[in-house]
Amino acid sequence: MTKKCYGAVELGGTKFTTLIAKDTRTILKKKVFPTLNPKDSLQDIVAFFKDEIPDCETKLEAIGVGSFGPLDLNPDSKTFGFITSTPKQGWEFFNIKGEIEKALDVNVFLETDVNAAAVGEFYLYPVNRIRNLAYITIGTGIGAGIITNGKLIHGLVHPEFGHISIPHDIRKDPFRGVCPYHRDCFEGLASGPAMTARWNLSPDDLPVNHMGWELEGEYIAHALANLIYTVSPEIIILGGDVMHHRHLFPIIHKKARALLNKYIKSRSLEENISEYIVPPRLKDDSGILGALSMAVYETESRD
Amino acid sequence: MTKKCYGAVELGGTKFTTLIAKDTRTILKKKVFPTLNPKDSLQDIVAFFKDEIPDCETKLEAIGVGSFGPLDLNPDSKTFGFITSTPKQGWEFFNIKGEIEKALDVNVFLETDVNAAAVGEFYLYPVNRIRNLAYITIGTGIGAGIITNGKLIHGLVHPEFGHISIPHDIRKDPFRGVCPYHRDCFEGLASGPAMTARWNLSPDDLPVNHMGWELEGEYIAHALANLIYTVSPEIIILGGDVMHHRHLFPIIHKKARALLNKYIKSRSLEENISEYIVPPRLKDDSGILGALSMAVYETESRD
């Protein structure tokens, strides 16, 4: 039996997860660490992967990393593979890809956290059934990983879907928004911190029947309608802390259907909308399993 | 010398263009017809391509068609290659791809008019320089052809970018919008007919210093910012009748830059925005040359 093994890291602002696996389904070892400064966290990562496992060769095939950003993912850039202008102290311009590669002599495939989560959900589907997918996280911030024709969109920089503008009726919702750049963009109106600032209650403390949930569902529905009109995904996955409140889903389904107003003729958007806008099937593991998928499939495609 | 030749059709609501070429640069013959009913127009198309040309083999390699829509572009569908629920009388559920293929015994590659225009502009660039491009037409309607990672986005149906919602400040612009589905979506606020209805003057009659142009530029800038945040194109091309008014470009550049508010760090969006949001380099031929490119490149990729 092959002793090939793969690694994965999901690097978040407060904690990070590492794992070693034989393939995308056979996890051998998994651990969660607090995110410290880059030096100490790198040491934790290296120690985790250097620890020998009987079923694995000493050297991993590759490590997939999904990381908080912003990241430089342009292969032609001098800072390719770096975390760039993050407000997270100590991590500015840290060469996350290069440092792990150097310490472990292994190929590292790096993506943003939300892109890794999109990849994780994407590989759940049999190839050729779903080729166009969007994963949106709604939590402290809002971001999207978008796959079209089976590939992640990168483009000029990378998508910053949280910052699209959506209709904001100031008479109905006089809250001005929390985005330091745009004030009342999607993230400024609908992120967790926006909800907390608007109602003086965090989403976790907001009663299920509070009108704040209707408003939240409306903003999300507006953003999804724009996404559907722009890239026409075949499925939309909504993750992140705010979406742990599952009663939001039926509100979003109802409002998205009303907004699209049957303009786009597709059963997915009419009777089947609850199978079209869905929670992550991988629950909170989309990111780490996506990072693992990147390591496995990118390695295979280069063999 | 090879006698291989390719055909192209750009089918519009009031007129259509046909051409025969040896490659994307060597046009042998080109003609414009009025768009009649499908039977008569099909006859015009067939007669044009059946007419023998000394430099060509009797049978064309392929014909690329860019057509008004909506089109069914799902290869698994029973009505694949049809114009579907168009309001244009007589053309509902006309099998444009199948009828041309049958009459001329030739492969037809079909795309929406705006997707064909995106393809036309895309092939102007050396491969691997630009892989992500958006072509937006602003005229009677508004639509976009979007290319990511070198491929057109199709997805669940196809993009309907004209129908995204954008901020509409009713105190500043009390005009309610003309979209029969969404009222004040992008198309409802910024298409040619929306301008005409708002000001009682068509865009062609609206003086250059009329405040309507500032407002038009603002709506377009909002839509482009959303597009940039969602798919991060490397270049955005604006075509269509409204965009023939070239004084709109500097207004859009200024407003798009202000809206993005330097959130996305890229020289393209800062000092170089006038090379980032541009008129079609193929002028009014993006669609027909895109249809030709489809015939040439799709044939090559299948050989």
Side-chain angles (χ1 to χ4, degrees):
Chain A
M1 202 187 141
T2 172
K3 294 184 82 177
K4 282 188 182 178
C5 286
Y6 301 87
V9 180
E10 185 187 22
L11 182 60
T14 55
K15 62 187 171 67
F16 70 91
T17 307
T18 50
L19 67 73
I20 295 177
K22 294 201 80 62
D23 53 51
T24 56
R25 285 162 207 277
T26 320
I27 314 295
L28 301 176
K29 190 179 151 191
K30 187 177 170 182
K31 196 169 171 187
V32 180
F33 299 82
T35 305
L36 310 167
N37 58 70
K39 189 166 159 277
D40 291 335
S41 288
L42 182 67
Q43 217 161 48
D44 287 337
I45 292 171
V46 170
F48 175 84
F49 288 117
K50 275 206 166 153
D51 198 19
E52 294 214 1
I53 295 191
D55 278 351
C56 294
E57 284 164 19
T58 317
K59 190 166 167 302
L60 295 170
E61 296 297 306
I63 298 177
V65 178
S67 171
F68 68 85
L71 303 177
D72 184 341
L73 298 175
N74 175 5
D76 299 330
S77 162
K78 269 187 263 180
T79 52
F80 175 54
F82 284 52
I83 295 173
T84 59
S85 53
T86 176
K88 194 168 166 58
Q89 230 202 330
W91 289 83
E92 309 92 323
F93 290 92
F94 179 64
N95 183 359
I96 177 86
K97 174 176 152 74
E99 292 290 345
I100 299 178
E101 285 185 334
K102 200 172 66 184
L104 292 163
D105 185 27
V106 67
N107 265 340
V108 167
F109 300 106
L110 175 69
E111 276 297 346
T112 60
D113 39 14
V114 74
N115 275 356
V119 168
E121 295 287 322
F122 180 69
Y123 280 116
L124 278 181
Y125 289 100
V127 176
N128 285 330
R129 200 173 84 73
I130 296 273
R131 304 291 292 157
N132 303 278
L133 168 154
Y135 178 96
I136 303 173
T137 180
I138 302 174
T140 311
I142 297 182
I146 304 174
I147 291 175
T148 55
N149 295 306
K151 285 193 169 177
L152 282 168
I153 295 182
H154 285 117
L156 181 69
V157 276
H158 48 70
E160 286 285 354
F161 184 68
H163 296 279
I164 65 164
S165 51
I166 53 173
H168 175 205
D169 184 345
I170 204 102
R171 292 163 305 187
K172 190 170 143 192
D173 174 26
F175 179 68
R176 288 170 61 84
V178 297
C179 175
Y181 291 93
H182 313 96
R183 216 181 63 202
D184 64 348
C185 63
F186 178 29
E187 180 171 300
L189 291 172
S191 63
M195 293 183 78
T196 305
R198 185 188 285 108
W199 306 114
N200 278 314
L201 280 174
S202 85
D204 291 344
D205 297 323
L206 205 64
V208 170
N209 58 356
H210 191 285
M211 64 173 286
W213 292 111
E214 279 285 316
L215 189 68
E216 180 71 6
E218 192 166 316
Y219 288 135
I220 296 172
H222 264 297
L224 297 191
N226 277 4
L227 182 73
I228 292 166
Y229 287 135
T230 309
V231 295
S232 203
E234 291 164 282
I235 191 158
I236 297 175
I237 295 137
L238 301 181
D241 286 348
V242 171
M243 296 313 303
H244 282 150
H245 299 273
R246 290 294 156 84
H247 66 277
L248 249 179
F249 278 91
I251 302 174
I252 295 167
H253 294 148
K254 193 184 69 194
K255 291 188 186 279
R257 233 167 81 158
L259 271 177
L260 295 162
N261 199 10
K262 304 205 173 178
Y263 180 75
I264 292 184
K265 298 276 175 287
S266 167
R267 286 184 59 226
S268 297
L269 301 183
E270 295 169 26
E271 61 262 48
N272 295 345
I273 198 161
S274 60
E275 291 157 42
Y276 180 71
I277 299 169
V278 296
R281 274 78 38 86
L282 297 173
K283 305 223 165 59
D284 292 324
D285 287 340
S286 313
I288 186 73
L289 294 180
L292 176 61
S293 304
M294 282 153 44
V296 174
Y297 295 111
E298 292 275 356
T299 306
E300 281 177 1
S301 74
R302 290 178 191 205
D303 280 352
Chain B
M1 202 189 140
T2 172
K3 294 184 82 177
K4 282 188 184 180
C5 285
Y6 301 86
V9 180
E10 185 188 23
L11 182 60
T14 56
K15 63 187 170 66
F16 69 91
T17 307
T18 50
L19 66 74
I20 295 178
K22 295 202 78 63
D23 54 50
T24 56
R25 285 162 206 276
T26 322
I27 315 292
L28 302 175
K29 191 180 150 189
K30 186 175 170 184
K31 197 169 169 186
V32 180
F33 299 84
T35 304
L36 310 167
N37 58 70
K39 189 167 159 277
D40 290 337
S41 289
L42 182 67
Q43 217 160 51
D44 287 338
I45 291 171
V46 170
F48 175 85
F49 288 117
K50 274 205 166 152
D51 199 18
E52 295 211 2
I53 296 189
D55 277 349
C56 295
E57 283 165 20
T58 317
K59 192 167 165 302
L60 295 171
E61 295 297 305
I63 298 177
V65 177
S67 172
F68 68 85
L71 304 177
D72 184 341
L73 298 175
N74 174 6
D76 298 330
S77 162
K78 270 188 265 183
T79 52
F80 174 55
F82 284 52
I83 294 174
T84 60
S85 54
T86 175
K88 193 164 166 61
Q89 230 203 330
W91 289 83
E92 309 93 323
F93 290 92
F94 178 65
N95 183 356
I96 178 87
K97 173 175 154 73
E99 292 289 344
I100 299 177
E101 285 185 333
K102 199 172 69 183
L104 292 163
D105 185 28
V106 68
N107 266 340
V108 167
F109 300 106
L110 175 68
E111 276 297 347
T112 60
D113 38 14
V114 73
N115 275 357
V119 168
E121 294 287 322
F122 180 69
Y123 280 116
L124 279 181
Y125 289 100
V127 176
N128 286 331
R129 201 172 82 76
I130 295 273
R131 305 290 293 157
N132 303 279
L133 168 154
Y135 177 95
I136 303 174
T137 178
I138 302 175
T140 311
I142 297 183
I146 304 173
I147 291 174
T148 54
N149 294 306
K151 285 192 168 177
L152 280 168
I153 295 182
H154 285 115
L156 182 69
V157 278
H158 47 70
E160 286 284 355
F161 184 68
H163 296 279
I164 65 165
S165 52
I166 53 173
H168 174 204
D169 184 344
I170 204 99
R171 292 164 305 187
K172 188 169 144 193
D173 173 26
F175 180 67
R176 288 171 59 83
V178 298
C179 175
Y181 291 92
H182 314 96
R183 217 181 63 203
D184 63 348
C185 62
F186 178 31
E187 180 171 301
L189 291 172
S191 63
M195 293 184 77
T196 305
R198 183 187 286 107
W199 306 114
N200 279 314
L201 279 174
S202 85
D204 292 343
D205 298 323
L206 205 65
V208 170
N209 59 356
H210 191 285
M211 64 173 284
W213 292 111
E214 280 284 316
L215 189 67
E216 179 71 6
E218 192 165 315
Y219 288 135
I220 296 171
H222 264 297
L224 297 191
N226 278 3
L227 182 73
I228 292 165
Y229 287 134
T230 309
V231 295
S232 203
E234 290 164 282
I235 191 157
I236 297 176
I237 295 137
L238 302 181
D241 286 348
V242 170
M243 296 313 304
H244 283 151
H245 300 272
R246 290 294 157 85
H247 65 278
L248 250 178
F249 277 91
I251 302 175
I252 294 167
H253 294 148
K254 192 184 68 193
K255 291 187 185 280
R257 234 167 80 157
L259 272 177
L260 294 163
N261 198 12
K262 304 207 174 175
Y263 181 74
I264 293 185
K265 298 275 175 287
S266 167
R267 287 185 57 227
S268 297
L269 302 183
E270 295 171 23
E271 61 262 49
N272 295 345
I273 199 160
S274 60
E275 290 157 42
Y276 180 71
I277 299 170
V278 295
R281 275 78 37 87
L282 297 172
K283 305 227 164 59
D284 292 324
D285 287 339
S286 313
I288 187 71
L289 294 180
L292 176 61
S293 303
M294 281 153 45
V296 173
Y297 294 111
E298 292 275 356
T299 305
E300 281 177 0
S301 74
R302 290 178 190 207
D303 280 352

